Amino acid sequence: MDTVVVGVDNSDASTRAVEFAVDRAQRNSWKVVLVHVIPWTPYSFQTPTENEHRHREKEREVAAATEQVLVPMAEIAERGGVPHTEMVRHGKPSETLSDIAGDTKAVHIIVGRTGDSGLREAVFGSVASRLVQHAHVPVTVVP
């Protein structure tokens, strides 16, 4: 069974990407890996006090992302009867999705055209753009 990674967030485009992935997974016997990436870099400058609280904050972010983003997306996969797993990671979204695709031996990455960030690009979002340029597997960008 081939694996496909689907980058998810709270956007309508992300919901359409999951629906697209589930439809294709039903036809192709794919396993779907739903991934939400919380943007974060270990190279940000923080005070010692901020560093003390970062671990707890990351745990809270993962719990919130699981409840608010992954649970609704997983319900779409459940309704479609598609085998799936979910994961939340911290990092640079395009790099993290590409790394997870490699780690899971995914044959494909699917993302929505624009995400839920406040910044929108004219043609498609920056994560989708970077994935299209740098991923080592095919990328489908869902409008």
Side-chain angles (χ1 to χ4, degrees):
M1 176 177 289
D2 287 332
T3 298
V4 61
V5 169
V6 185
V8 298
D9 57 26
N10 272 332
S11 68
D12 291 339
S14 179
T15 300
R16 289 189 298 275
V18 173
E19 292 168 345
F20 177 86
V22 167
D23 179 66
R24 296 315 181 277
Q26 291 168 333
R27 298 176 193 200
N28 296 301
S29 299
W30 287 345
K31 175 184 176 184
V32 174
V33 179
L34 301 169
V35 180
H36 178 71
V37 181
I38 300 168
W40 180 75
T41 175
Y43 304 109
S44 62
F45 295 101
Q46 296 179 340
T47 67
T49 303
E50 289 171 327
N51 285 333
E52 290 176 22
H53 300 288
R54 185 64 188 142
H55 179 71
R56 280 188 304 240
E57 183 61 28
K58 285 176 74 174
E59 287 178 348
R60 279 188 225 124
E61 290 171 344
V62 168
T66 299
E67 180 182 328
Q68 297 169 17
V69 178
L70 285 178
V71 168
M73 297 301 172
E75 288 173 357
I76 296 169
E78 289 284 333
R79 284 193 302 270
V82 172
H84 64 282
T85 57
E86 306 89 33
M87 58 178 73
V88 176
R89 296 291 186 269
H90 283 84
K92 186 174 182 181
S94 59
E95 290 177 9
T96 303
L97 289 170
S98 188
D99 289 347
I100 290 170
D103 293 346
T104 61
K105 298 183 181 5
V107 297
H108 204 109
I109 300 171
I110 299 172
V111 293
R113 182 174 60 199
T114 56
D116 65 355
S117 71
L119 302 174
R120 306 278 187 211
E121 291 193 16
V123 179
F124 48 77
S126 60
V127 172
S129 177
R130 285 187 195 102
L131 276 170
V132 167
Q133 294 173 33
H134 301 292
H136 298 288
V137 296
V139 176
T140 296
V141 181
V142 177

